[in-house]
Amino acid sequence: KLFIFVLFISSFLLNACYGIKPQSSGKAKKYYESFYLGDGKSQYFIKPLEFENKTQNLVLDFTIRQSEDVIIDGVTNFSLYSPILIDNIDSLNLNPAGNTISINEIKRLFIEKEGKKYHLRNTANITKEFVETFFGAEDIKLMIYAKNNVYNLVPIKSTNKNRKLLFENLIQLIILE
């Protein structure tokens, strides 16, 4: 009887310890993947987040590297889907509450027609400030500048929710180091 009691208590305590984890980190984990690269370096891939206006969609994903000597280094790859042919983007601006952070060196990866829309795929290096603001600001919008035109895009509802989860469970930890 003592053996069964000890086994029961041990099983209960073991199960209780393994079952404890922050609830929100499990929810955020499905929006990114993490990789240890060795030599104190980690890489995080943040799955696509979507912005839109009445006619266009913008889908961004992020790859962020963290190491001891570089606090944060990142790349964003993004696709613009538009019924208007936009062959090059001059800049991508992040505009939270009147502040503006610009990415001016954008490289086009490809452009193709998909149904009634054009798909323009781009890549750009991003700064720690961009990452912190993109994920941490309460309200953001993105502005694309292309050939004297400005296209304003706002996050879809799930993007706002996912940005908040990612900031609280991943980005804050990366930028603190």
Short mmCIF file of all heavy atoms in Angstrom, two decimals, residues 7-54:
data_model
loop_
_atom_site.label_atom_id
_atom_site.label_comp_id
_atom_site.label_asym_id
_atom_site.label_seq_id
_atom_site.Cartn_x
_atom_site.Cartn_y
_atom_site.Cartn_z
N LEU A 7 4.00 5.84 -5.36
CA LEU A 7 3.91 5.87 -6.82
C LEU A 7 2.87 6.89 -7.29
O LEU A 7 3.11 7.67 -8.21
CB LEU A 7 3.57 4.47 -7.36
CG LEU A 7 3.59 4.30 -8.87
CD1 LEU A 7 5.00 4.57 -9.41
CD2 LEU A 7 3.16 2.89 -9.24
N PHE A 8 1.73 6.93 -6.62
CA PHE A 8 0.67 7.88 -6.96
C PHE A 8 1.14 9.32 -6.75
O PHE A 8 0.98 10.18 -7.61
CB PHE A 8 -0.59 7.59 -6.12
CG PHE A 8 -1.66 8.63 -6.30
CD1 PHE A 8 -2.42 8.67 -7.45
CD2 PHE A 8 -1.89 9.58 -5.31
CE1 PHE A 8 -3.40 9.63 -7.62
CE2 PHE A 8 -2.86 10.55 -5.47
CZ PHE A 8 -3.62 10.58 -6.63
N ILE A 9 1.74 9.60 -5.59
CA ILE A 9 2.22 10.95 -5.28
C ILE A 9 3.33 11.35 -6.25
O ILE A 9 3.34 12.47 -6.77
CB ILE A 9 2.71 11.05 -3.81
CG1 ILE A 9 1.55 10.83 -2.84
CG2 ILE A 9 3.42 12.37 -3.54
CD1 ILE A 9 0.47 11.90 -2.93
N SER A 10 4.25 10.45 -6.53
CA SER A 10 5.35 10.74 -7.47
C SER A 10 4.79 11.04 -8.85
O SER A 10 5.22 11.99 -9.52
CB SER A 10 6.32 9.56 -7.56
OG SER A 10 6.89 9.31 -6.32
N SER A 11 3.85 10.24 -9.27
CA SER A 11 3.23 10.45 -10.58
C SER A 11 2.52 11.79 -10.63
O SER A 11 2.63 12.53 -11.61
CB SER A 11 2.25 9.31 -10.86
OG SER A 11 1.47 9.59 -11.97
N PHE A 12 1.80 12.12 -9.58
CA PHE A 12 1.08 13.38 -9.53
C PHE A 12 2.04 14.57 -9.59
O PHE A 12 1.84 15.51 -10.36
CB PHE A 12 0.23 13.44 -8.25
CG PHE A 12 -0.46 14.75 -8.07
CD1 PHE A 12 -1.59 15.07 -8.81
CD2 PHE A 12 0.02 15.69 -7.15
CE1 PHE A 12 -2.23 16.30 -8.65
CE2 PHE A 12 -0.61 16.90 -6.99
CZ PHE A 12 -1.74 17.21 -7.74
N LEU A 13 3.12 14.55 -8.78
CA LEU A 13 4.08 15.64 -8.74
C LEU A 13 4.83 15.78 -10.06
O LEU A 13 5.04 16.88 -10.57
CB LEU A 13 5.07 15.45 -7.60
CG LEU A 13 4.48 15.62 -6.19
CD1 LEU A 13 5.53 15.28 -5.14
CD2 LEU A 13 3.96 17.03 -5.99
N LEU A 14 5.20 14.66 -10.64
CA LEU A 14 5.91 14.68 -11.92
C LEU A 14 5.02 15.27 -13.01
O LEU A 14 5.44 16.12 -13.79
CB LEU A 14 6.34 13.25 -12.28
CG LEU A 14 7.40 13.12 -13.37
CD1 LEU A 14 8.68 13.83 -12.92
CD2 LEU A 14 7.69 11.66 -13.64
N ASN A 15 3.79 14.85 -13.04
CA ASN A 15 2.83 15.34 -14.03
C ASN A 15 2.57 16.83 -13.82
O ASN A 15 2.47 17.60 -14.78
CB ASN A 15 1.53 14.55 -13.94
CG ASN A 15 0.69 14.68 -15.18
OD1 ASN A 15 1.19 15.09 -16.21
ND2 ASN A 15 -0.58 14.31 -15.08
N ALA A 16 2.47 17.28 -12.59
CA ALA A 16 2.20 18.68 -12.29
C ALA A 16 3.36 19.56 -12.76
O ALA A 16 3.16 20.63 -13.32
CB ALA A 16 1.96 18.87 -10.80
N CYS A 17 4.59 19.11 -12.55
CA CYS A 17 5.75 19.90 -12.94
C CYS A 17 5.86 20.02 -14.46
O CYS A 17 6.16 21.07 -14.99
CB CYS A 17 7.03 19.29 -12.39
SG CYS A 17 7.17 19.48 -10.60
N TYR A 18 5.63 18.93 -15.17
CA TYR A 18 5.74 18.98 -16.62
C TYR A 18 4.59 19.71 -17.27
O TYR A 18 4.70 20.20 -18.38
CB TYR A 18 5.85 17.56 -17.22
CG TYR A 18 7.22 16.99 -17.08
CD1 TYR A 18 7.46 15.90 -16.26
CD2 TYR A 18 8.30 17.56 -17.75
CE1 TYR A 18 8.72 15.37 -16.13
CE2 TYR A 18 9.56 17.05 -17.62
CZ TYR A 18 9.77 15.95 -16.81
OH TYR A 18 11.03 15.44 -16.68
N GLY A 19 3.49 19.82 -16.61
CA GLY A 19 2.32 20.48 -17.19
C GLY A 19 2.34 21.99 -17.05
O GLY A 19 1.50 22.66 -17.59
N ILE A 20 3.32 22.55 -16.33
CA ILE A 20 3.35 23.99 -16.11
C ILE A 20 4.12 24.67 -17.23
O ILE A 20 5.27 24.36 -17.49
CB ILE A 20 4.03 24.32 -14.76
CG1 ILE A 20 3.20 23.76 -13.62
CG2 ILE A 20 4.21 25.82 -14.61
CD1 ILE A 20 3.84 23.91 -12.26
N LYS A 21 3.46 25.58 -17.92
CA LYS A 21 4.11 26.45 -18.88
C LYS A 21 3.22 27.65 -19.07
O LYS A 21 2.01 27.57 -18.90
CB LYS A 21 4.37 25.75 -20.22
CG LYS A 21 3.15 25.45 -21.03
CD LYS A 21 3.55 24.88 -22.36
CE LYS A 21 2.31 24.71 -23.24
NZ LYS A 21 2.64 24.28 -24.55
N PRO A 22 3.80 28.79 -19.41
CA PRO A 22 2.96 29.97 -19.62
C PRO A 22 1.97 29.71 -20.75
O PRO A 22 2.35 29.24 -21.81
CB PRO A 22 3.97 31.06 -20.01
CG PRO A 22 5.30 30.55 -19.61
CD PRO A 22 5.20 29.06 -19.58
N GLN A 23 0.74 30.03 -20.51
CA GLN A 23 -0.29 29.74 -21.47
C GLN A 23 -0.09 30.50 -22.77
O GLN A 23 -0.25 29.96 -23.84
CB GLN A 23 -1.66 30.08 -20.88
CG GLN A 23 -2.80 29.48 -21.66
CD GLN A 23 -4.09 29.64 -20.89
OE1 GLN A 23 -4.19 30.39 -19.94
NE2 GLN A 23 -5.10 28.90 -21.30
N SER A 24 0.31 31.76 -22.70
CA SER A 24 0.44 32.56 -23.90
C SER A 24 1.61 32.14 -24.77
O SER A 24 1.56 32.29 -25.97
CB SER A 24 0.56 34.04 -23.54
OG SER A 24 1.68 34.25 -22.73
N SER A 25 2.68 31.61 -24.17
CA SER A 25 3.83 31.23 -25.00
C SER A 25 3.47 30.09 -25.93
O SER A 25 3.98 30.00 -27.02
CB SER A 25 5.04 30.87 -24.14
OG SER A 25 4.76 29.71 -23.39
N GLY A 26 2.58 29.21 -25.50
CA GLY A 26 2.13 28.15 -26.38
C GLY A 26 1.36 28.69 -27.56
O GLY A 26 1.49 28.22 -28.68
N LYS A 27 0.56 29.72 -27.33
CA LYS A 27 -0.20 30.34 -28.41
C LYS A 27 0.73 31.07 -29.38
O LYS A 27 0.53 31.02 -30.58
CB LYS A 27 -1.24 31.31 -27.84
CG LYS A 27 -2.36 30.64 -27.10
CD LYS A 27 -3.32 31.66 -26.54
CE LYS A 27 -4.40 30.99 -25.72
NZ LYS A 27 -5.30 31.96 -25.09
N ALA A 28 1.72 31.75 -28.87
CA ALA A 28 2.63 32.52 -29.72
C ALA A 28 3.54 31.59 -30.51
O ALA A 28 3.93 31.92 -31.63
CB ALA A 28 3.46 33.48 -28.88
N LYS A 29 3.89 30.45 -29.97
CA LYS A 29 4.85 29.54 -30.60
C LYS A 29 4.41 29.10 -31.99
O LYS A 29 5.25 28.85 -32.85
CB LYS A 29 5.06 28.31 -29.68
CG LYS A 29 6.08 27.34 -30.16
CD LYS A 29 7.48 27.89 -30.14
CE LYS A 29 8.45 26.82 -30.57
NZ LYS A 29 9.67 27.35 -31.09
N LYS A 30 3.12 29.05 -32.25
CA LYS A 30 2.68 28.63 -33.58
C LYS A 30 2.90 29.70 -34.64
O LYS A 30 2.76 29.44 -35.83
CB LYS A 30 1.23 28.17 -33.56
CG LYS A 30 0.21 29.22 -33.27
CD LYS A 30 -1.18 28.60 -33.23
CE LYS A 30 -2.24 29.61 -32.86
NZ LYS A 30 -3.56 29.01 -32.79
N TYR A 31 3.32 30.90 -34.24
CA TYR A 31 3.55 31.98 -35.19
C TYR A 31 5.03 32.21 -35.49
O TYR A 31 5.36 33.11 -36.26
CB TYR A 31 2.91 33.29 -34.69
CG TYR A 31 1.43 33.13 -34.47
CD1 TYR A 31 0.89 33.21 -33.19
CD2 TYR A 31 0.58 32.86 -35.53
CE1 TYR A 31 -0.47 33.04 -32.99
CE2 TYR A 31 -0.78 32.68 -35.33
CZ TYR A 31 -1.29 32.78 -34.06
OH TYR A 31 -2.64 32.60 -33.86
N TYR A 32 5.91 31.42 -34.87
CA TYR A 32 7.33 31.53 -35.18
C TYR A 32 8.03 30.19 -34.97
O TYR A 32 7.50 29.30 -34.31
CB TYR A 32 7.99 32.62 -34.34
CG TYR A 32 8.20 32.28 -32.88
CD1 TYR A 32 9.40 31.71 -32.44
CD2 TYR A 32 7.22 32.53 -31.92
CE1 TYR A 32 9.59 31.40 -31.10
CE2 TYR A 32 7.41 32.23 -30.59
CZ TYR A 32 8.59 31.66 -30.19
OH TYR A 32 8.79 31.34 -28.87
N GLU A 33 9.21 30.09 -35.56
CA GLU A 33 10.08 28.93 -35.36
C GLU A 33 11.43 29.45 -34.91
O GLU A 33 11.89 30.48 -35.39
CB GLU A 33 10.23 28.15 -36.67
CG GLU A 33 8.93 27.53 -37.14
CD GLU A 33 9.06 26.81 -38.47
OE1 GLU A 33 10.19 26.41 -38.83
OE2 GLU A 33 8.04 26.68 -39.15
N SER A 34 12.04 28.74 -33.98
CA SER A 34 13.35 29.17 -33.50
C SER A 34 14.39 28.11 -33.81
O SER A 34 14.09 26.91 -33.83
CB SER A 34 13.30 29.45 -31.99
OG SER A 34 12.88 28.31 -31.29
N PHE A 35 15.61 28.57 -34.06
CA PHE A 35 16.71 27.69 -34.42
C PHE A 35 17.95 28.15 -33.66
O PHE A 35 18.26 29.35 -33.65
CB PHE A 35 17.01 27.76 -35.91
CG PHE A 35 15.82 27.53 -36.80
CD1 PHE A 35 15.06 28.60 -37.25
CD2 PHE A 35 15.45 26.26 -37.17
CE1 PHE A 35 13.95 28.40 -38.05
CE2 PHE A 35 14.34 26.05 -37.98
CZ PHE A 35 13.60 27.12 -38.43
N TYR A 36 18.67 27.21 -33.07
CA TYR A 36 19.95 27.54 -32.47
C TYR A 36 21.01 27.32 -33.53
O TYR A 36 21.10 26.23 -34.11
CB TYR A 36 20.22 26.69 -31.23
CG TYR A 36 21.55 27.01 -30.60
CD1 TYR A 36 21.75 28.24 -29.97
CD2 TYR A 36 22.61 26.13 -30.66
CE1 TYR A 36 22.96 28.57 -29.40
CE2 TYR A 36 23.83 26.45 -30.09
CZ TYR A 36 24.00 27.66 -29.47
OH TYR A 36 25.22 28.00 -28.92
N LEU A 37 21.82 28.34 -33.82
CA LEU A 37 22.80 28.26 -34.89
C LEU A 37 24.19 27.91 -34.39
O LEU A 37 25.10 27.71 -35.19
CB LEU A 37 22.86 29.60 -35.65
CG LEU A 37 21.53 30.08 -36.23
CD1 LEU A 37 21.70 31.47 -36.84
CD2 LEU A 37 21.00 29.10 -37.26
N GLY A 38 24.38 27.83 -33.09
CA GLY A 38 25.69 27.57 -32.52
C GLY A 38 26.41 28.87 -32.19
O GLY A 38 26.01 29.96 -32.61
N ASP A 39 27.48 28.78 -31.42
CA ASP A 39 28.29 29.95 -31.03
C ASP A 39 27.45 31.08 -30.44
O ASP A 39 27.69 32.26 -30.71
CB ASP A 39 29.09 30.48 -32.22
CG ASP A 39 30.13 29.49 -32.72
OD1 ASP A 39 30.65 28.71 -31.89
OD2 ASP A 39 30.40 29.49 -33.93
N GLY A 40 26.43 30.75 -29.66
CA GLY A 40 25.61 31.76 -29.01
C GLY A 40 24.66 32.50 -29.93
O GLY A 40 24.16 33.56 -29.59
N LYS A 41 24.42 31.96 -31.12
CA LYS A 41 23.56 32.61 -32.09
C LYS A 41 22.23 31.86 -32.21
O LYS A 41 22.21 30.63 -32.25
CB LYS A 41 24.22 32.67 -33.46
CG LYS A 41 25.47 33.50 -33.50
CD LYS A 41 26.11 33.47 -34.86
CE LYS A 41 27.43 34.23 -34.84
NZ LYS A 41 28.14 34.10 -36.11
N SER A 42 21.15 32.62 -32.29
CA SER A 42 19.82 32.05 -32.50
C SER A 42 19.16 32.76 -33.68
O SER A 42 19.45 33.93 -33.95
CB SER A 42 18.94 32.24 -31.26
OG SER A 42 19.49 31.53 -30.17
N GLN A 43 18.28 32.04 -34.34
CA GLN A 43 17.52 32.61 -35.44
C GLN A 43 16.05 32.32 -35.24
O GLN A 43 15.69 31.23 -34.80
CB GLN A 43 17.99 32.02 -36.77
CG GLN A 43 17.24 32.55 -37.98
CD GLN A 43 17.89 32.12 -39.27
OE1 GLN A 43 19.00 32.53 -39.57
NE2 GLN A 43 17.19 31.29 -40.03
N TYR A 44 15.22 33.30 -35.56
CA TYR A 44 13.78 33.17 -35.41
C TYR A 44 13.12 33.49 -36.74
O TYR A 44 13.42 34.53 -37.34
CB TYR A 44 13.26 34.12 -34.32
CG TYR A 44 13.95 33.94 -33.01
CD1 TYR A 44 15.09 34.67 -32.69
CD2 TYR A 44 13.50 33.00 -32.09
CE1 TYR A 44 15.75 34.48 -31.49
CE2 TYR A 44 14.15 32.80 -30.88
CZ TYR A 44 15.28 33.55 -30.59
OH TYR A 44 15.93 33.36 -29.40
N PHE A 45 12.25 32.62 -37.17
CA PHE A 45 11.45 32.89 -38.37
C PHE A 45 10.03 33.18 -37.92
O PHE A 45 9.39 32.34 -37.29
CB PHE A 45 11.45 31.70 -39.33
CG PHE A 45 10.52 31.90 -40.49
CD1 PHE A 45 10.83 32.80 -41.49
CD2 PHE A 45 9.31 31.22 -40.55
CE1 PHE A 45 9.96 33.01 -42.55
CE2 PHE A 45 8.44 31.43 -41.60
CZ PHE A 45 8.75 32.32 -42.60
N ILE A 46 9.57 34.38 -38.21
CA ILE A 46 8.21 34.78 -37.85
C ILE A 46 7.34 34.61 -39.08
O ILE A 46 7.62 35.18 -40.14
CB ILE A 46 8.18 36.22 -37.31
CG1 ILE A 46 9.03 36.28 -36.04
CG2 ILE A 46 6.74 36.66 -37.06
CD1 ILE A 46 9.20 37.64 -35.45
N LYS A 47 6.31 33.81 -38.91
CA LYS A 47 5.44 33.45 -40.02
C LYS A 47 4.66 34.67 -40.53
O LYS A 47 4.51 35.66 -39.82
CB LYS A 47 4.51 32.32 -39.59
CG LYS A 47 5.30 31.06 -39.25
CD LYS A 47 4.43 29.95 -38.73
CE LYS A 47 5.30 28.75 -38.35
NZ LYS A 47 4.52 27.65 -37.82
N PRO A 48 4.14 34.59 -41.75
CA PRO A 48 3.55 35.75 -42.42
C PRO A 48 2.43 36.45 -41.63
O PRO A 48 1.59 35.81 -41.01
CB PRO A 48 2.99 35.17 -43.72
CG PRO A 48 3.86 33.98 -43.98
CD PRO A 48 4.17 33.42 -42.62
N LEU A 49 2.49 37.79 -41.73
CA LEU A 49 1.48 38.67 -41.15
C LEU A 49 0.91 39.52 -42.29
O LEU A 49 1.65 39.93 -43.18
CB LEU A 49 2.11 39.57 -40.08
CG LEU A 49 2.73 38.81 -38.90
CD1 LEU A 49 3.59 39.74 -38.07
CD2 LEU A 49 1.64 38.18 -38.06
N GLU A 50 -0.39 39.79 -42.25
CA GLU A 50 -1.05 40.40 -43.40
C GLU A 50 -1.58 41.81 -43.11
O GLU A 50 -2.15 42.08 -42.06
CB GLU A 50 -2.21 39.51 -43.86
CG GLU A 50 -2.83 39.96 -45.16
CD GLU A 50 -3.88 38.99 -45.68
OE1 GLU A 50 -3.96 37.85 -45.18
OE2 GLU A 50 -4.61 39.39 -46.59
N PHE A 51 -1.40 42.68 -44.11
CA PHE A 51 -1.92 44.04 -44.12
C PHE A 51 -2.76 44.21 -45.37
O PHE A 51 -2.55 43.48 -46.35
CB PHE A 51 -0.78 45.06 -44.12
CG PHE A 51 -0.05 45.14 -42.81
CD1 PHE A 51 0.78 44.11 -42.38
CD2 PHE A 51 -0.18 46.26 -42.00
CE1 PHE A 51 1.45 44.19 -41.17
CE2 PHE A 51 0.48 46.34 -40.79
CZ PHE A 51 1.29 45.31 -40.38
N GLU A 52 -3.68 45.18 -45.36
CA GLU A 52 -4.53 45.35 -46.53
C GLU A 52 -5.06 46.76 -46.65
O GLU A 52 -5.02 47.54 -45.70
CB GLU A 52 -5.71 44.37 -46.47
CG GLU A 52 -6.68 44.66 -45.32
CD GLU A 52 -7.82 43.66 -45.21
OE1 GLU A 52 -7.87 42.69 -45.98
OE2 GLU A 52 -8.67 43.88 -44.33
N ASN A 53 -5.52 47.07 -47.83
CA ASN A 53 -6.38 48.22 -48.08
C ASN A 53 -7.51 47.71 -48.98
O ASN A 53 -7.68 46.49 -49.12
CB ASN A 53 -5.61 49.42 -48.66
CG ASN A 53 -4.96 49.13 -50.00
OD1 ASN A 53 -5.41 48.28 -50.76
ND2 ASN A 53 -3.88 49.84 -50.29
N LYS A 54 -8.25 48.57 -49.62
CA LYS A 54 -9.41 48.11 -50.39
C LYS A 54 -9.04 47.23 -51.59
O LYS A 54 -9.81 46.37 -51.97
CB LYS A 54 -10.23 49.30 -50.88
CG LYS A 54 -10.97 50.00 -49.76
CD LYS A 54 -11.81 51.14 -50.28
CE LYS A 54 -12.54 51.80 -49.12
NZ LYS A 54 -13.39 52.89 -49.55
#
